[in-house]
Amino acid sequence: MSTPNDDTGGADLGYAEAMTELEGVLEELEGDHLDVDVLAERVRRASELIKLCRTRISRAQEDVNRIVTDLEVFESELGGAPPVDADGDEDELDGDVAAHEGDELF
């Protein structure tokens, strides 16, 4: 049993597609109907899909880290980041108060 992406190792698959295919392969491996002759092929394909998914996750994490670092550098160049509370959220109330401190109410 072969899949269209066997020759490329699935390099053109997205993460969600690879996970869907991997789930299908795992269902085949868990079932009683799998032909012994294709067992090694399906295990190999599962291994390829796992590697692909791990690579995609790793690249996404690197991208997120790079973006966060760039934002931190950008904020520090602007004179500092806004206050952050324990949850990692900006302190919106302080920002609103500071923005409207000079406003007259009446």
Side-chain angles (χ1 to χ4, degrees):
M1 178 182 284
S2 75
T3 60
N5 295 310
D6 281 347
D7 295 336
T8 64
D12 57 340
L13 285 179
Y15 178 84
E17 296 163 325
M19 283 300 296
T20 299
E21 185 178 342
L22 180 59
E23 289 171 0
V25 170
L26 293 176
E27 285 178 16
E28 283 183 73
L29 294 173
E30 291 173 351
D32 294 334
H33 61 279
L34 186 64
D35 186 344
V36 172
D37 295 330
V38 296
L39 178 63
E41 162 62 25
R42 302 316 291 155
V43 170
R44 182 192 60 76
R45 184 62 181 159
S47 175
E48 290 173 354
L49 292 166
I50 290 168
K51 289 176 186 175
L52 183 138
C53 289
R54 285 182 176 170
T55 299
R56 298 286 170 122
I57 290 170
S58 177
R59 286 182 187 162
Q61 183 64 47
E62 290 171 5
D63 289 346
V64 168
N65 290 340
R66 190 175 314 110
I67 291 166
V68 169
T69 300
D70 289 347
L71 286 173
E72 289 171 349
V73 168
F74 177 73
E75 287 176 351
S76 69
E77 290 173 353
L78 290 177
V84 176
D85 64 16
D87 295 336
D89 297 328
E90 291 182 16
D91 193 341
E92 294 178 26
L93 182 58
D94 285 346
D96 289 343
V97 170
H100 297 287
E101 241 173 49
D103 293 349
E104 294 183 16
L105 295 176
F106 301 97

